[in-house]
Amino acid sequence: MAVDLSFLSPPQAARVRWRATDGSEPALAAQVESVHANRVVVALLAEAPPPPAGAAVVVEVGLPDGLHRLSGEVVGELLGSPALVIEVRAVERVQRRAFVRVPVDIHTMSAYLIGADGEPTTRFAVRVLDLSGGGMYCECLQALTVGDQFGIILRLDDEEPVRPLLRVVDVRRRVVRLPGSQPYRTYLVRGAFEAISERERQRVIQFVYRQQAEQRRRGRPEPS
């Protein structure tokens, strides 16, 4: 049966899920490298045992119109590369909830990369530029790449900070030149919330609503 994979535009960040023989359900960061009819080549980014040939897998790809789940089977791997060839047999799209996004300027939030073992590694500072219930846009000096997972300690008010995990979905480099100093490179990062409690998400949404009300009071145009 033909499967329409025309919505894929490699390279794209993804995640591969499957049920292992021990009953666990690994979820590995990955990247869709190429598409050939109803087969996709997916490179695993985590150093962990891959699903074996014949394993039933689900490849998740987050796009603006929703989360696409590609269900299929591992039919091979590329020699000399941590990449799997997966025959896709069904595609499901899960509609994302639309979240209001508002410009902000929150400096020196503490963030940290998540390693392949799920533990924090490199710590770095970020400047949050916009925020929504679905994620955020920020600037940092850390060289992040699409597919990276990072956590952030997000202070919104006098309560305990929100501590979501995010997946990098877009990165752009920017060169900053200041008078009297050497130019340096920063990274503009779009991250989607990947692990956040509903209570924390609601706190983010309420913060966004308060920022919107304040911007309207000051006569600033609302974000598109």
Side-chain angles (χ1 to χ4, degrees):
M1 181 179 66
V3 178
D4 182 10
L5 300 177
S6 61
F7 60 89
L8 294 175
S9 301
Q12 287 175 297
R15 183 165 52 182
V16 176
R17 295 180 178 273
W18 76 99
R19 182 178 291 277
T21 54
D22 62 2
S24 63
E25 296 186 2
L28 299 183
Q31 180 169 283
V32 177
E33 298 285 353
S34 58
V35 180
H36 310 275
N38 65 331
R39 292 186 174 185
V40 295
V41 175
V42 179
L44 299 179
L45 305 181
E47 295 182 1
V57 298
V58 174
V59 180
E60 298 178 341
V61 181
L63 298 175
D65 66 338
L67 179 68
H68 293 251
R69 293 195 178 111
L70 287 60
S71 301
E73 178 183 325
V74 178
V75 295
E77 60 182 27
L78 297 186
L79 294 178
S81 171
L84 305 172
V85 180
I86 298 172
E87 184 171 324
V88 180
R89 295 175 178 166
V91 175
E92 174 191 16
R93 181 171 67 87
V94 181
Q95 182 67 46
R96 290 189 189 275
R97 286 185 289 173
F99 294 107
V100 174
R101 178 172 57 87
V102 66
V104 296
D105 195 353
I106 310 175
H107 288 265
T108 61
M109 293 290 105
S110 177
Y112 49 92
L113 273 173
I114 302 296
D117 59 358
E119 296 296 323
T121 58
T122 307
R123 296 186 179 273
F124 56 99
V126 302
R127 174 187 177 193
V128 182
L129 302 176
D130 79 38
L131 188 64
S132 78
M136 70 180 194
Y137 187 57
C138 63
E139 184 177 23
C140 64
L141 297 176
Q142 180 68 31
L144 298 175
T145 60
V146 171
D148 281 347
Q149 188 182 48
F150 68 99
I152 184 170
I153 301 173
L154 190 58
R155 298 186 181 277
L156 303 175
D157 46 38
D158 294 332
E159 296 183 28
E160 283 292 310
V162 174
R163 301 173 184 268
L165 296 182
L166 299 97
R167 181 74 61 180
V168 176
V169 297
D170 186 60
V171 179
R172 299 184 182 184
R173 291 188 290 271
R174 184 174 76 134
V175 175
V176 178
R177 295 181 173 86
L178 298 177
S181 64
Q182 292 294 321
Y184 61 94
R185 178 175 290 174
T186 69
Y187 297 84
L188 298 172
V189 178
R190 176 73 62 188
F193 290 144
E194 191 165 72
I196 183 172
S197 69
E198 193 55 32
R199 179 180 180 278
E200 288 188 327
R201 192 191 301 277
Q202 290 305 314
R203 284 185 59 197
V204 172
I205 292 172
Q206 289 302 319
F207 175 83
V208 168
Y209 287 164
R210 290 196 300 271
Q211 292 293 307
Q212 270 195 311
E214 180 65 18
Q215 289 173 13
R216 284 196 297 267
R217 187 182 67 80
R218 294 178 180 177
R220 290 180 56 181
E222 294 191 22
S224 57

